[in-house]
Amino acid sequence: ETVAVIAEEERAFARMLASGIKWFEGLATDMAAKDTDTVAGADAFFLYDTMGFPVDLTELMAAEKGLSVDVEGFQAAMQRQQQRSRLAAQEK
């Protein structure tokens, strides 16, 4: 039972990782076409919030392609999300 749960968690992580990498590769292609070298904070936050990617993983993948990440923009998006969560919790 425990081994099966761990195995399923590993499969879920692998799927998440594959989806996030595919999304990032598309983003990097779009950025190259636009001659942009900084991953927007909103995009880094999407990878974090939707794909489960820690921002340091996004930074690593970006660096491998000669890109940087707008970490301040990421942090601002994170703060906005936290504020929305607090407000939603207060409304309950």
Side-chain angles (χ1 to χ4, degrees):
E1 170 94 18
T2 302
V3 172
V5 170
I6 292 170
E8 179 53 36
E9 288 296 320
E10 288 175 345
R11 286 190 293 275
F13 178 77
R15 285 190 301 271
M16 176 275 303
L17 191 59
S19 294
I21 290 170
K22 182 177 178 180
W23 193 88
F24 180 84
E25 292 295 329
L27 174 66
T29 299
D30 290 345
M31 290 175 62
K34 295 175 184 174
D35 199 28
T36 303
D37 64 358
T38 302
V39 175
D43 290 327
F45 184 74
F46 174 82
L47 279 165
Y48 170 80
D49 191 49
T50 304
M51 302 283 183
F53 268 52
V55 72
D56 59 338
L57 178 56
T58 300
E59 288 179 297
L60 179 64
M61 292 188 329
E64 289 175 352
K65 295 194 172 291
L67 305 171
S68 61
V69 176
D70 175 12
V71 176
E72 288 181 13
F74 168 81
Q75 291 170 341
M78 175 74 84
Q79 288 174 347
R80 286 190 299 273
Q81 176 64 23
Q82 290 170 340
Q83 185 175 11
R84 283 191 299 269
S85 292
R86 280 193 294 275
L87 290 173
Q90 290 173 357
E91 291 176 2
K92 289 184 178 183

Coordinates of all heavy atoms in Angstrom, one line a residue:
E1 N 0.8 -1.2 0.0 CA 0.0 0.0 0.0 C 0.9 1.3 0.0 O 0.7 2.1 -0.8 CB -0.9 0.0 1.2 CG -1.7 1.2 1.5 CD -3.1 1.3 0.8 OE1 -3.6 0.2 0.5 OE2 -3.6 2.4 0.7
T2 N 1.8 1.4 0.9 CA 2.7 2.6 1.0 C 3.5 2.7 -0.3 O 3.7 3.8 -0.8 CB 3.6 2.5 2.2 OG1 2.7 2.4 3.4 CG2 4.5 3.7 2.3
V3 N 4.1 1.6 -0.7 CA 4.9 1.6 -1.9 C 4.1 2.0 -3.1 O 4.5 2.8 -4.0 CB 5.5 0.2 -2.2 CG1 6.2 0.2 -3.5 CG2 6.5 -0.1 -1.1
A4 N 2.8 1.6 -3.2 CA 1.9 2.0 -4.3 C 1.7 3.5 -4.3 O 1.7 4.2 -5.3 CB 0.6 1.2 -4.3
V5 N 1.5 4.0 -3.1 CA 1.2 5.5 -3.0 C 2.5 6.3 -3.4 O 2.4 7.3 -4.2 CB 0.8 5.9 -1.5 CG1 0.8 7.4 -1.3 CG2 -0.5 5.2 -1.2
I6 N 3.6 5.8 -3.0 CA 4.9 6.5 -3.3 C 5.1 6.4 -4.8 O 5.5 7.4 -5.5 CB 6.1 5.9 -2.6 CG1 5.9 6.3 -1.1 CG2 7.4 6.4 -3.1 CD1 6.9 5.5 -0.2
A7 N 4.8 5.3 -5.4 CA 5.0 5.1 -6.9 C 4.1 6.0 -7.6 O 4.5 6.7 -8.6 CB 4.7 3.7 -7.3
E8 N 2.8 6.2 -7.2 CA 1.9 7.1 -7.8 C 2.3 8.5 -7.7 O 2.2 9.3 -8.6 CB 0.5 6.9 -7.3 CG -0.5 7.9 -7.9 CD -0.6 7.8 -9.5 OE1 -0.4 6.8 -10.1 OE2 -0.8 8.9 -10.1
E9 N 2.9 8.9 -6.5 CA 3.4 10.3 -6.3 C 4.5 10.5 -7.3 O 4.7 11.6 -7.9 CB 3.8 10.5 -4.9 CG 2.7 10.6 -3.9 CD 1.8 11.8 -4.2 OE1 2.3 12.9 -4.5 OE2 0.6 11.7 -4.0
E10 N 5.4 9.6 -7.5 CA 6.5 9.7 -8.4 C 6.0 9.9 -9.8 O 6.6 10.7 -10.6 CB 7.5 8.5 -8.3 CG 8.3 8.5 -7.0 CD 9.1 7.2 -6.9 OE1 8.9 6.2 -7.6 OE2 10.0 7.2 -6.1
R11 N 5.0 9.1 -10.2 CA 4.5 9.3 -11.6 C 3.8 10.6 -11.8 O 4.0 11.3 -12.8 CB 3.4 8.1 -11.9 CG 4.1 6.8 -12.1 CD 3.1 5.8 -12.6 NE 2.1 5.4 -11.6 CZ 2.2 4.5 -10.7 NH1 3.4 3.8 -10.6 NH2 1.3 4.2 -9.8
A12 N 3.1 11.1 -10.7 CA 2.5 12.4 -10.8 C 3.5 13.5 -10.9 O 3.4 14.5 -11.7 CB 1.6 12.7 -9.6
F13 N 4.6 13.4 -10.2 CA 5.7 14.4 -10.2 C 6.3 14.4 -11.6 O 6.6 15.4 -12.2 CB 6.8 14.1 -9.2 CG 7.9 15.0 -9.2 CD1 7.8 16.3 -8.7 CD2 9.1 14.6 -9.8 CE1 8.9 17.2 -8.8 CE2 10.2 15.5 -9.9 CZ 10.1 16.8 -9.4
A14 N 6.5 13.2 -12.2 CA 7.1 13.1 -13.5 C 6.2 13.7 -14.6 O 6.7 14.4 -15.5 CB 7.4 11.6 -13.9
R15 N 4.9 13.5 -14.5 CA 4.0 14.1 -15.4 C 4.0 15.7 -15.3 O 4.0 16.4 -16.3 CB 2.6 13.6 -15.2 CG 2.3 12.2 -15.7 CD 0.8 11.9 -15.6 NE 0.2 11.9 -14.3 CZ 0.2 10.9 -13.4 NH1 0.7 9.7 -13.8 NH2 -0.4 11.1 -12.3
M16 N 4.0 16.2 -14.0 CA 4.1 17.6 -13.8 C 5.4 18.2 -14.3 O 5.4 19.2 -15.0 CB 4.0 17.9 -12.3 CG 4.1 19.3 -11.8 SD 5.8 20.0 -11.6 CE 6.5 18.9 -10.4
L17 N 6.5 17.5 -14.1 CA 7.7 18.0 -14.6 C 7.7 18.0 -16.1 O 8.2 19.0 -16.7 CB 8.9 17.1 -14.1 CG 10.3 17.5 -14.3 CD1 10.5 18.9 -13.6 CD2 11.3 16.5 -13.7
A18 N 7.3 17.0 -16.8 CA 7.2 16.9 -18.2 C 6.3 18.1 -18.8 O 6.7 18.7 -19.8 CB 6.7 15.6 -18.7
S19 N 5.2 18.3 -18.2 CA 4.3 19.3 -18.6 C 4.9 20.7 -18.5 O 4.8 21.6 -19.4 CB 3.0 19.3 -17.9 OG 2.2 18.1 -18.1
G20 N 5.5 20.9 -17.3 CA 6.2 22.2 -17.1 C 7.3 22.5 -18.0 O 7.5 23.6 -18.5
I21 N 8.1 21.5 -18.3 CA 9.3 21.6 -19.2 C 8.7 21.9 -20.6 O 9.3 22.8 -21.3 CB 10.2 20.4 -19.2 CG1 10.9 20.3 -17.9 CG2 11.1 20.4 -20.4 CD1 11.7 19.0 -17.7
K22 N 7.7 21.2 -21.0 CA 7.1 21.5 -22.4 C 6.6 22.9 -22.4 O 6.8 23.6 -23.4 CB 6.0 20.5 -22.6 CG 5.4 20.6 -24.0 CD 4.3 19.6 -24.2 CE 3.6 19.7 -25.5 NZ 2.6 18.7 -25.8
W23 N 5.9 23.4 -21.4 CA 5.4 24.7 -21.4 C 6.5 25.7 -21.4 O 6.5 26.7 -22.2 CB 4.5 25.0 -20.2 CG 3.7 26.2 -20.2 CD1 2.5 26.4 -20.8 CD2 4.1 27.5 -19.8 NE1 2.1 27.7 -20.7 CE2 3.1 28.4 -20.1 CE3 5.2 28.0 -19.1 CZ2 3.1 29.8 -19.8 CZ3 5.3 29.4 -18.8 CH2 4.2 30.2 -19.1
F24 N 7.6 25.5 -20.6 CA 8.7 26.4 -20.6 C 9.4 26.4 -22.0 O 9.8 27.5 -22.4 CB 9.7 26.0 -19.5 CG 10.9 26.9 -19.5 CD1 10.9 28.1 -18.7 CD2 12.1 26.6 -20.2 CE1 12.0 28.9 -18.7 CE2 13.2 27.4 -20.1 CZ 13.1 28.6 -19.4
E25 N 9.6 25.3 -22.6 CA 10.2 25.2 -23.9 C 9.4 26.1 -24.9 O 10.0 26.8 -25.7 CB 10.3 23.8 -24.4 CG 11.3 23.0 -23.6 CD 12.8 23.4 -23.7 OE1 13.2 24.0 -24.8 OE2 13.5 23.2 -22.8
G26 N 8.1 26.0 -24.9 CA 7.3 26.9 -25.8 C 7.5 28.3 -25.4 O 7.6 29.2 -26.4
L27 N 7.6 28.7 -24.2 CA 7.8 30.0 -23.7 C 9.2 30.5 -24.3 O 9.3 31.6 -24.8 CB 7.7 30.1 -22.2 CG 8.1 31.5 -21.6 CD1 7.1 32.5 -22.0 CD2 8.2 31.4 -20.1
A28 N 10.2 29.7 -24.1 CA 11.5 30.1 -24.5 C 11.6 30.3 -26.1 O 12.2 31.2 -26.5 CB 12.5 29.0 -24.1
T29 N 10.8 29.5 -26.8 CA 10.8 29.6 -28.2 C 10.1 31.0 -28.6 O 10.6 31.7 -29.5 CB 10.0 28.5 -28.9 OG1 10.7 27.3 -28.6 CG2 9.8 28.6 -30.4
D30 N 9.0 31.3 -27.9 CA 8.3 32.5 -28.1 C 9.2 33.7 -27.8 O 9.2 34.7 -28.5 CB 7.0 32.6 -27.3 CG 5.9 31.7 -27.8 OD1 6.0 31.1 -28.9 OD2 5.0 31.5 -27.0
M31 N 9.9 33.6 -26.7 CA 10.8 34.7 -26.3 C 11.9 34.9 -27.3 O 12.3 36.0 -27.6 CB 11.4 34.3 -24.9 CG 10.4 34.4 -23.8 SD 11.1 33.9 -22.2 CE 12.4 35.1 -22.0
A32 N 12.5 33.8 -27.8 CA 13.5 34.0 -28.9 C 13.0 34.7 -30.1 O 13.7 35.5 -30.7 CB 14.1 32.6 -29.2
A33 N 11.7 34.3 -30.5 CA 11.1 35.0 -31.6 C 10.9 36.5 -31.4 O 11.0 37.3 -32.3 CB 9.8 34.3 -32.0
K34 N 10.7 36.9 -30.1 CA 10.5 38.3 -29.8 C 11.8 38.9 -29.3 O 11.7 40.1 -28.9 CB 9.4 38.3 -28.7 CG 8.1 37.9 -29.1 CD 7.1 37.8 -27.9 CE 5.8 37.3 -28.3 NZ 4.9 37.1 -27.2
D35 N 12.9 38.2 -29.4 CA 14.2 38.7 -28.9 C 14.1 39.2 -27.5 O 14.6 40.3 -27.2 CB 14.7 39.8 -29.9 CG 16.2 40.0 -29.8 OD1 16.9 39.1 -29.4 OD2 16.6 41.2 -30.1
T36 N 13.5 38.5 -26.6 CA 13.4 38.8 -25.2 C 14.2 37.8 -24.4 O 14.2 36.6 -24.7 CB 11.9 38.7 -24.8 OG1 11.1 39.5 -25.6 CG2 11.7 39.0 -23.3
D37 N 14.9 38.3 -23.4 CA 15.8 37.4 -22.6 C 15.4 37.3 -21.2 O 16.2 36.7 -20.4 CB 17.2 37.7 -22.8 CG 17.6 39.1 -22.3 OD1 16.7 39.8 -21.8 OD2 18.8 39.5 -22.4
T38 N 14.3 37.8 -20.8 CA 13.9 37.8 -19.4 C 12.5 37.1 -19.3 O 11.5 37.6 -19.9 CB 13.8 39.2 -18.7 OG1 15.1 39.7 -18.8 CG2 13.5 39.1 -17.2
V39 N 12.4 36.0 -18.5 CA 11.1 35.4 -18.3 C 10.3 36.3 -17.4 O 10.8 36.7 -16.3 CB 11.3 34.0 -17.6 CG1 10.0 33.4 -17.3 CG2 12.1 33.1 -18.5
A40 N 9.2 36.7 -17.8 CA 8.3 37.6 -17.0 C 7.9 36.9 -15.7 O 7.8 35.7 -15.6 CB 7.0 37.9 -17.8
G41 N 7.8 37.8 -14.7 CA 7.4 37.3 -13.4 C 6.1 36.5 -13.4 O 5.9 35.5 -12.7
A42 N 5.2 37.0 -14.2 CA 3.9 36.3 -14.4 C 4.0 34.9 -14.9 O 3.3 34.0 -14.5 CB 2.9 37.2 -15.2
D43 N 4.9 34.7 -15.9 CA 5.2 33.4 -16.4 C 5.8 32.5 -15.4 O 5.5 31.3 -15.3 CB 6.0 33.5 -17.7 CG 5.3 34.1 -18.9 OD1 4.1 33.9 -19.0 OD2 5.9 34.8 -19.7
A44 N 6.8 33.0 -14.7 CA 7.4 32.2 -13.6 C 6.4 31.9 -12.6 O 6.4 30.7 -12.1 CB 8.6 33.0 -13.0
F45 N 5.5 32.8 -12.3 CA 4.5 32.5 -11.3 C 3.5 31.4 -11.8 O 3.1 30.5 -11.1 CB 3.7 33.7 -10.8 CG 2.7 33.4 -9.8 CD1 3.1 33.2 -8.5 CD2 1.4 33.3 -10.0 CE1 2.2 32.9 -7.5 CE2 0.4 33.0 -9.0 CZ 0.9 32.8 -7.7
F46 N 3.1 31.5 -13.1 CA 2.3 30.4 -13.7 C 2.9 29.1 -13.5 O 2.3 28.1 -13.1 CB 2.0 30.8 -15.2 CG 1.3 29.7 -15.9 CD1 -0.1 29.6 -15.8 CD2 2.0 28.7 -16.6 CE1 -0.8 28.5 -16.4 CE2 1.3 27.7 -17.2 CZ -0.1 27.6 -17.1
L47 N 4.2 29.0 -13.8 CA 4.9 27.7 -13.7 C 4.9 27.2 -12.2 O 4.7 26.0 -12.0 CB 6.4 27.8 -14.1 CG 6.6 27.8 -15.6 CD1 8.0 28.3 -16.0 CD2 6.4 26.3 -16.1
Y48 N 5.0 28.1 -11.3 CA 5.0 27.8 -9.9 C 3.6 27.4 -9.5 O 3.4 26.3 -8.9 CB 5.5 29.0 -9.1 CG 5.2 28.8 -7.6 CD1 6.1 28.1 -6.8 CD2 4.1 29.4 -7.0 CE1 5.9 27.9 -5.4 CE2 3.9 29.3 -5.6 CZ 4.8 28.5 -4.9 OH 4.6 28.3 -3.5
D49 N 2.6 28.3 -9.7 CA 1.3 28.1 -9.2 C 0.5 27.0 -9.9 O -0.2 26.2 -9.3 CB 0.5 29.4 -9.4 CG -0.8 29.5 -8.6 OD1 -0.8 29.1 -7.4 OD2 -1.8 29.9 -9.2
T50 N 0.7 26.9 -11.2 CA -0.1 25.9 -12.0 C 0.6 24.6 -12.3 O 0.0 23.5 -12.2 CB -0.5 26.6 -13.4 OG1 -1.2 27.8 -13.1 CG2 -1.4 25.6 -14.2
M51 N 1.9 24.7 -12.5 CA 2.7 23.5 -12.9 C 3.5 23.0 -11.7 O 4.0 21.9 -11.8 CB 3.7 23.9 -14.0 CG 3.1 24.4 -15.2 SD 2.4 23.1 -16.2 CE 1.8 23.9 -17.6
G52 N 3.5 23.7 -10.6 CA 4.2 23.2 -9.4 C 5.7 23.3 -9.5 O 6.5 22.7 -8.7
F53 N 6.2 24.2 -10.3 CA 7.7 24.4 -10.5 C 8.1 25.5 -9.5 O 7.7 26.6 -9.5 CB 8.0 25.0 -11.9 CG 8.3 24.0 -12.9 CD1 7.4 22.9 -13.1 CD2 9.4 24.1 -13.7 CE1 7.7 22.0 -14.1 CE2 9.7 23.1 -14.6 CZ 8.8 22.1 -14.8
P54 N 9.1 25.1 -8.6 CA 9.7 26.1 -7.8 C 10.4 27.2 -8.7 O 10.9 26.8 -9.7 CB 10.7 25.4 -6.9 CG 10.5 23.9 -7.2 CD 9.7 23.8 -8.4
V55 N 10.5 28.4 -8.2 CA 11.1 29.5 -9.1 C 12.6 29.2 -9.3 O 13.1 29.5 -10.4 CB 10.8 30.9 -8.5 CG1 11.7 31.1 -7.2 CG2 11.1 31.9 -9.5
D56 N 13.2 28.5 -8.4 CA 14.6 28.2 -8.6 C 14.8 27.2 -9.8 O 15.8 27.3 -10.5 CB 15.4 27.8 -7.4 CG 14.8 26.5 -6.7 OD1 13.6 26.2 -6.9 OD2 15.5 25.9 -6.0
L57 N 13.9 26.3 -10.0 CA 13.9 25.4 -11.1 C 13.7 26.2 -12.4 O 14.4 26.0 -13.4 CB 12.9 24.3 -11.0 CG 12.8 23.3 -12.2 CD1 14.1 22.6 -12.4 CD2 11.7 22.3 -11.9
T58 N 12.8 27.2 -12.4 CA 12.6 28.0 -13.6 C 13.9 28.8 -13.9 O 14.3 28.9 -15.0 CB 11.4 29.0 -13.3 OG1 10.2 28.2 -13.1 CG2 11.2 29.9 -14.5
E59 N 14.5 29.3 -12.8 CA 15.7 30.1 -13.0 C 16.8 29.2 -13.6 O 17.6 29.6 -14.5 CB 16.2 30.7 -11.7 CG 15.4 31.8 -11.2 CD 15.9 32.3 -9.9 OE1 15.9 31.6 -8.9 OE2 16.3 33.5 -9.8
L60 N 16.9 28.0 -13.2 CA 17.9 27.0 -13.7 C 17.7 26.8 -15.2 O 18.6 26.8 -16.0 CB 17.9 25.7 -12.9 CG 18.9 24.7 -13.3 CD1 20.3 25.1 -13.2 CD2 18.7 23.4 -12.5
M61 N 16.4 26.5 -15.5 CA 16.1 26.2 -16.9 C 16.3 27.4 -17.8 O 16.8 27.3 -18.9 CB 14.6 25.7 -17.0 CG 14.4 24.3 -16.4 SD 12.8 23.5 -16.7 CE 11.7 24.9 -16.8
A62 N 16.0 28.6 -17.3 CA 16.2 29.8 -18.0 C 17.7 30.0 -18.2 O 18.2 30.4 -19.3 CB 15.6 31.0 -17.2
A63 N 18.5 29.9 -17.2 CA 20.0 30.1 -17.3 C 20.6 29.1 -18.3 O 21.5 29.5 -19.1 CB 20.6 29.9 -15.9
E64 N 20.1 27.9 -18.4 CA 20.6 27.0 -19.4 C 20.3 27.5 -20.8 O 21.0 27.0 -21.8 CB 19.9 25.6 -19.2 CG 20.4 24.9 -18.0 CD 19.7 23.6 -17.7 OE1 18.7 23.3 -18.4 OE2 20.1 22.8 -16.8
K65 N 19.4 28.4 -21.0 CA 19.1 28.9 -22.3 C 19.6 30.4 -22.5 O 19.2 31.1 -23.4 CB 17.6 28.9 -22.6 CG 17.1 27.4 -22.6 CD 15.7 27.4 -23.2 CE 15.2 26.0 -23.5 NZ 16.0 25.3 -24.5
G66 N 20.4 30.8 -21.5 CA 20.9 32.2 -21.6 C 19.9 33.2 -21.2 O 20.0 34.4 -21.6
L67 N 18.8 32.8 -20.5 CA 17.8 33.7 -20.1 C 17.8 34.0 -18.6 O 18.5 33.3 -17.8 CB 16.4 33.1 -20.4 CG 16.2 32.6 -21.8 CD1 14.9 31.8 -21.9 CD2 16.2 33.8 -22.8
S68 N 17.1 35.1 -18.2 CA 17.0 35.4 -16.8 C 15.5 35.3 -16.4 O 14.7 35.2 -17.3 CB 17.6 36.7 -16.4 OG 16.9 37.7 -17.1
V69 N 15.2 35.4 -15.1 CA 13.8 35.4 -14.6 C 13.6 36.7 -13.8 O 14.4 37.1 -13.0 CB 13.6 34.2 -13.7 CG1 12.2 34.2 -13.1 CG2 13.8 32.9 -14.5
D70 N 12.5 37.3 -14.1 CA 12.1 38.5 -13.3 C 11.6 38.1 -12.0 O 10.4 37.8 -11.7 CB 11.0 39.3 -14.1 CG 10.5 40.5 -13.3 OD1 11.1 40.9 -12.3 OD2 9.4 41.0 -13.7
V71 N 12.5 37.9 -11.0 CA 12.2 37.3 -9.7 C 11.3 38.3 -8.9 O 10.4 37.9 -8.2 CB 13.5 37.0 -8.9 CG1 13.1 36.5 -7.5 CG2 14.2 35.9 -9.7
E72 N 11.6 39.6 -9.1 CA 10.8 40.6 -8.4 C 9.3 40.6 -8.9 O 8.4 40.7 -8.1 CB 11.3 42.0 -8.6 CG 12.6 42.3 -7.8 CD 13.1 43.7 -8.0 OE1 12.4 44.6 -8.6 OE2 14.3 43.9 -7.6
G73 N 9.1 40.4 -10.2 CA 7.8 40.2 -10.7 C 7.1 39.0 -10.2 O 5.9 38.9 -10.0
F74 N 7.9 37.9 -10.1 CA 7.4 36.6 -9.6 C 6.9 36.9 -8.1 O 5.8 36.4 -7.7 CB 8.5 35.5 -9.6 CG 8.1 34.3 -8.8 CD1 7.3 33.4 -9.3 CD2 8.6 34.2 -7.5 CE1 7.0 32.2 -8.5 CE2 8.3 33.1 -6.7 CZ 7.4 32.1 -7.2
Q75 N 7.8 37.5 -7.3 CA 7.4 37.8 -5.9 C 6.2 38.7 -5.8 O 5.3 38.4 -4.9 CB 8.6 38.4 -5.2 CG 9.7 37.4 -5.0 CD 11.0 38.0 -4.5 OE1 11.2 39.2 -4.6 NE2 11.9 37.2 -4.0
A76 N 6.0 39.6 -6.7 CA 4.9 40.5 -6.7 C 3.6 39.7 -7.0 O 2.6 39.8 -6.4 CB 5.0 41.6 -7.7
A77 N 3.7 38.8 -8.0 CA 2.6 37.9 -8.3 C 2.2 37.0 -7.2 O 1.1 36.7 -6.9 CB 2.9 37.1 -9.6
M78 N 3.2 36.5 -6.5 CA 3.0 35.6 -5.3 C 2.3 36.4 -4.2 O 1.3 35.9 -3.6 CB 4.4 35.1 -4.8 CG 4.3 34.3 -3.5 SD 3.6 32.7 -3.7 CE 5.0 31.8 -4.2
Q79 N 2.7 37.7 -4.0 CA 2.1 38.5 -3.0 C 0.6 38.8 -3.3 O -0.3 38.7 -2.5 CB 2.8 39.8 -2.8 CG 4.1 39.6 -2.0 CD 5.0 40.8 -2.0 OE1 4.7 41.8 -2.6 NE2 6.0 40.8 -1.1
R80 N 0.3 39.0 -4.6 CA -1.0 39.3 -5.0 C -1.9 38.0 -4.8 O -3.0 38.1 -4.3 CB -1.1 39.7 -6.5 CG -0.6 41.1 -6.8 CD -0.9 41.6 -8.2 NE -0.2 40.8 -9.2 CZ 1.0 41.0 -9.6 NH1 1.7 41.9 -9.2 NH2 1.5 40.2 -10.6
Q81 N -1.3 36.8 -5.1 CA -2.1 35.6 -4.9 C -2.3 35.4 -3.4 O -3.4 35.0 -3.0 CB -1.3 34.4 -5.5 CG -1.9 33.1 -5.2 CD -3.3 32.9 -5.8 OE1 -3.6 33.6 -6.8 NE2 -4.1 32.0 -5.3
Q82 N -1.3 35.6 -2.6 CA -1.5 35.5 -1.1 C -2.6 36.4 -0.6 O -3.4 36.0 0.2 CB -0.2 35.7 -0.4 CG 0.8 34.6 -0.6 CD 2.2 34.9 -0.1 OE1 2.6 36.0 0.1 NE2 3.0 33.8 0.1
Q83 N -2.6 37.6 -1.1 CA -3.6 38.6 -0.7 C -5.0 38.1 -1.2 O -6.0 38.2 -0.4 CB -3.3 40.0 -1.3 CG -4.3 41.1 -0.8 CD -3.9 42.4 -1.4 OE1 -3.0 42.6 -2.2 NE2 -4.5 43.5 -0.8
R84 N -5.1 37.6 -2.4 CA -6.4 37.1 -2.8 C -6.9 35.9 -1.9 O -8.1 35.8 -1.6 CB -6.3 36.6 -4.3 CG -6.4 37.8 -5.3 CD -6.5 37.2 -6.7 NE -5.4 36.4 -7.2 CZ -4.3 36.8 -7.8 NH1 -4.1 38.0 -8.0 NH2 -3.4 35.9 -8.2
S85 N -6.0 35.1 -1.6 CA -6.3 34.0 -0.7 C -6.8 34.4 0.7 O -7.7 33.9 1.2 CB -5.1 33.0 -0.5 OG -4.8 32.4 -1.7
R86 N -6.1 35.4 1.2 CA -6.5 36.0 2.5 C -7.9 36.6 2.5 O -8.7 36.4 3.3 CB -5.5 37.0 3.0 CG -4.3 36.4 3.7 CD -3.5 37.5 4.4 NE -2.9 38.5 3.5 CZ -1.8 38.4 2.9 NH1 -1.0 37.3 3.0 NH2 -1.3 39.4 2.1
L87 N -8.1 37.3 1.4 CA -9.4 38.0 1.2 C -10.5 36.9 1.1 O -11.6 37.0 1.6 CB -9.4 38.9 0.0 CG -8.6 40.2 0.2 CD1 -8.6 41.0 -1.1 CD2 -9.2 41.1 1.3
A88 N -10.3 35.9 0.3 CA -11.2 34.8 0.1 C -11.5 34.1 1.4 O -12.7 33.7 1.7 CB -10.7 33.8 -1.0
A89 N -10.5 33.9 2.2 CA -10.7 33.2 3.5 C -11.5 34.1 4.5 O -12.3 33.5 5.2 CB -9.3 32.9 4.1
Q90 N -11.3 35.4 4.4 CA -12.1 36.3 5.3 C -13.6 36.3 4.9 O -14.4 36.5 5.7 CB -11.5 37.7 5.2 CG -10.1 37.8 5.9 CD -9.5 39.2 5.6 OE1 -10.1 40.0 4.9 NE2 -8.3 39.4 6.2
E91 N -13.8 36.1 3.6 CA -15.2 36.1 3.2 C -16.0 34.9 3.5 O -17.2 34.9 3.4 CB -15.2 36.3 1.6 CG -14.8 37.7 1.2 CD -14.7 37.8 -0.3 OE1 -15.1 36.9 -1.0 OE2 -14.2 38.9 -0.8
K92 N -15.3 33.9 4.0 CA -16.0 32.6 4.3 C -16.7 32.7 5.7 O -16.4 33.4 6.5 CB -15.1 31.4 4.3 CG -14.7 31.1 2.9 CD -13.8 29.8 2.9 CE -13.4 29.5 1.5 NZ -12.7 28.3 1.4

